[in-house]
Tab-separated table of all heavy atoms in Angstrom:
chain	number	residue	atom	x	y	z
A	188	GLY	N	28.523	16.732	-6.403
A	188	GLY	CA	29.377	15.712	-5.798
A	188	GLY	C	28.695	14.352	-5.802
A	188	GLY	O	29.327	13.310	-6.021
A	189	ASN	N	27.403	14.376	-5.568
A	189	ASN	CA	26.621	13.141	-5.577
A	189	ASN	C	26.657	12.509	-6.978
A	189	ASN	O	26.851	11.304	-7.132
A	189	ASN	CB	25.179	13.480	-5.164
A	189	ASN	CG	24.379	12.263	-4.751
A	189	ASN	OD1	24.921	11.167	-4.655
A	189	ASN	ND2	23.094	12.456	-4.505
A	190	LEU	N	26.516	13.346	-8.001
A	190	LEU	CA	26.551	12.852	-9.384
A	190	LEU	C	27.955	12.348	-9.742
A	190	LEU	O	28.112	11.351	-10.441
A	190	LEU	CB	26.130	13.965	-10.355
A	190	LEU	CG	24.646	14.355	-10.298
A	190	LEU	CD1	24.384	15.624	-11.092
A	190	LEU	CD2	23.773	13.225	-10.843
A	191	LYS	N	28.954	13.050	-9.230
A	191	LYS	CA	30.343	12.644	-9.486
A	191	LYS	C	30.573	11.239	-8.935
A	191	LYS	O	31.129	10.367	-9.616
A	191	LYS	CB	31.288	13.636	-8.811
A	191	LYS	CG	32.740	13.199	-8.765
A	191	LYS	CD	33.521	14.173	-7.900
A	191	LYS	CE	34.947	13.725	-7.705
A	191	LYS	NZ	35.105	12.569	-6.844
A	192	ASN	N	30.100	11.045	-7.718
A	192	ASN	CA	30.245	9.742	-7.081
A	192	ASN	C	29.565	8.653	-7.921
A	192	ASN	O	30.116	7.567	-8.119
A	192	ASN	CB	29.616	9.823	-5.672
A	192	ASN	CG	29.708	8.521	-4.922
A	192	ASN	OD1	30.802	7.978	-4.774
A	192	ASN	ND2	28.579	8.014	-4.463
A	193	ALA	N	28.376	8.994	-8.447
A	193	ALA	CA	27.646	8.016	-9.262
A	193	ALA	C	28.392	7.727	-10.556
A	193	ALA	O	28.470	6.567	-10.986
A	193	ALA	CB	26.251	8.559	-9.568
A	194	MET	N	28.954	8.752	-11.158
A	194	MET	CA	29.651	8.554	-12.437
A	194	MET	C	30.897	7.688	-12.269
A	194	MET	O	31.301	6.980	-13.188
A	194	MET	CB	30.006	9.902	-13.050
A	194	MET	CG	28.769	10.602	-13.604
A	194	MET	SD	29.171	12.033	-14.543
A	194	MET	CE	29.880	11.320	-15.993
A	195	GLU	N	31.508	7.774	-11.089
A	195	GLU	CA	32.692	6.949	-10.825
A	195	GLU	C	32.330	5.467	-10.723
A	195	GLU	O	33.158	4.607	-10.957
A	195	GLU	CB	33.357	7.403	-9.522
A	195	GLU	CG	34.138	8.697	-9.677
A	195	GLU	CD	34.561	9.294	-8.336
A	195	GLU	OE1	34.200	8.736	-7.279
A	195	GLU	OE2	35.223	10.339	-8.364
A	196	LYS	N	31.071	5.207	-10.356
A	196	LYS	CA	30.692	3.820	-10.091
A	196	LYS	C	29.791	3.220	-11.173
A	196	LYS	O	29.288	2.112	-11.002
A	196	LYS	CB	29.981	3.753	-8.736
A	196	LYS	CG	30.939	4.049	-7.591
A	196	LYS	CD	30.224	4.265	-6.292
A	196	LYS	CE	31.250	4.609	-5.204
A	196	LYS	NZ	30.635	5.135	-4.015
A	197	THR	N	29.553	3.944	-12.224
A	197	THR	CA	28.660	3.449	-13.283
A	197	THR	C	29.358	3.570	-14.637
A	197	THR	O	30.434	4.177	-14.730
A	197	THR	CB	27.350	4.265	-13.314
A	197	THR	OG1	27.691	5.654	-13.502
A	197	THR	CG2	26.555	4.117	-12.042
A	198	ASN	N	28.722	3.022	-15.676
A	198	ASN	CA	29.393	3.051	-16.974
A	198	ASN	C	28.450	3.270	-18.164
A	198	ASN	O	28.752	2.893	-19.275
A	198	ASN	CB	30.200	1.760	-17.180
A	198	ASN	CG	29.275	0.545	-17.206
A	198	ASN	OD1	28.068	0.685	-16.975
A	198	ASN	ND2	29.818	-0.622	-17.486
A	199	GLY	N	27.285	3.856	-17.934
A	199	GLY	CA	26.348	4.102	-19.038
A	199	GLY	C	26.915	5.098	-20.040
A	199	GLY	O	27.620	6.027	-19.660
A	200	ASP	N	26.598	4.899	-21.330
A	200	ASP	CA	27.054	5.855	-22.344
A	200	ASP	C	26.244	7.147	-22.238
A	200	ASP	O	26.739	8.229	-22.522
A	200	ASP	CB	26.867	5.259	-23.747
A	200	ASP	CG	27.549	3.911	-23.854
A	200	ASP	OD1	28.768	3.867	-23.622
A	200	ASP	OD2	26.863	2.902	-24.114
A	201	LEU	N	24.987	6.981	-21.863
A	201	LEU	CA	24.126	8.135	-21.605
A	201	LEU	C	23.602	7.975	-20.188
A	201	LEU	O	23.399	6.856	-19.735
A	201	LEU	CB	22.944	8.169	-22.577
A	201	LEU	CG	23.237	8.200	-24.079
A	201	LEU	CD1	21.934	8.095	-24.867
A	201	LEU	CD2	23.979	9.469	-24.484
A	202	PHE	N	23.389	9.086	-19.521
A	202	PHE	CA	22.753	8.962	-18.202
A	202	PHE	C	21.719	10.065	-18.011
A	202	PHE	O	21.938	11.209	-18.409
A	202	PHE	CB	23.791	8.965	-17.063
A	202	PHE	CG	24.605	10.209	-16.946
A	202	PHE	CD1	24.196	11.252	-16.119
A	202	PHE	CD2	25.787	10.363	-17.661
A	202	PHE	CE1	24.959	12.392	-16.000
A	202	PHE	CE2	26.550	11.516	-17.548
A	202	PHE	CZ	26.138	12.538	-16.721
A	203	ALA	N	20.579	9.664	-17.452
A	203	ALA	CA	19.503	10.624	-17.196
A	203	ALA	C	19.576	11.053	-15.738
A	203	ALA	O	19.906	10.247	-14.866
A	203	ALA	CB	18.164	9.978	-17.478
A	204	ILE	N	19.293	12.350	-15.495
A	204	ILE	CA	19.276	12.848	-14.112
A	204	ILE	C	17.833	13.144	-13.720
A	204	ILE	O	17.150	13.922	-14.382
A	204	ILE	CB	20.132	14.127	-13.962
A	204	ILE	CG1	21.583	13.860	-14.363
A	204	ILE	CG2	20.055	14.662	-12.538
A	204	ILE	CD1	22.469	15.104	-14.338
A	205	LEU	N	17.397	12.496	-12.661
A	205	LEU	CA	16.064	12.766	-12.123
A	205	LEU	C	16.230	13.156	-10.659
A	205	LEU	O	17.105	12.625	-9.978
A	205	LEU	CB	15.173	11.527	-12.222
A	205	LEU	CG	15.038	10.848	-13.596
A	205	LEU	CD1	14.187	9.582	-13.464
A	205	LEU	CD2	14.401	11.776	-14.620
A	206	ASP	N	15.394	14.060	-10.202
A	206	ASP	CA	15.411	14.379	-8.768
A	206	ASP	C	14.510	13.387	-8.033
A	206	ASP	O	13.796	12.609	-8.657
A	206	ASP	CB	14.926	15.813	-8.550
A	206	ASP	CG	16.053	16.814	-8.773
A	206	ASP	OD1	17.212	16.378	-8.909
A	206	ASP	OD2	15.768	18.024	-8.807
A	207	ALA	N	14.533	13.495	-6.708
A	207	ALA	CA	13.752	12.554	-5.903
A	207	ALA	C	12.273	12.577	-6.268
A	207	ALA	O	11.583	11.560	-6.158
A	207	ALA	CB	13.932	12.891	-4.434
A	208	ASP	N	11.795	13.733	-6.697
A	208	ASP	CA	10.362	13.866	-7.006
A	208	ASP	C	10.085	13.861	-8.510
A	208	ASP	O	8.972	14.147	-8.932
A	208	ASP	CB	9.821	15.168	-6.404
A	208	ASP	CG	10.514	16.392	-6.976
A	208	ASP	OD1	11.711	16.290	-7.295
A	208	ASP	OD2	9.872	17.447	-7.132
A	209	THR	N	11.097	13.532	-9.321
A	209	THR	CA	10.900	13.566	-10.774
A	209	THR	C	10.339	12.238	-11.257
A	209	THR	O	10.992	11.198	-11.128
A	209	THR	CB	12.235	13.866	-11.493
A	209	THR	OG1	12.824	14.999	-10.875
A	209	THR	CG2	12.006	14.151	-12.966
A	210	ARG	N	9.169	12.291	-11.806
A	210	ARG	CA	8.486	11.084	-12.271
A	210	ARG	C	8.543	11.060	-13.795
A	210	ARG	O	7.804	11.806	-14.468
A	210	ARG	CB	7.033	11.098	-11.789
A	210	ARG	CG	6.858	11.466	-10.296
A	210	ARG	CD	6.665	10.277	-9.444
A	210	ARG	NE	5.556	9.475	-9.885
A	210	ARG	CZ	4.296	9.655	-9.478
A	210	ARG	NH1	4.014	10.616	-8.616
A	210	ARG	NH2	3.337	8.868	-9.913
Side-chain angles (χ1 to χ4, degrees):
Chain A
N189 197 6
L190 290 169
K191 169 188 175 289
N192 180 54
M194 287 189 71
E195 284 168 357
K196 292 168 182 166
T197 57
N198 63 355
D200 306 302
L201 302 175
F202 62 92
I204 301 176
L205 307 176
D206 277 350
D208 61 327
T209 310
R210 313 260 304 271

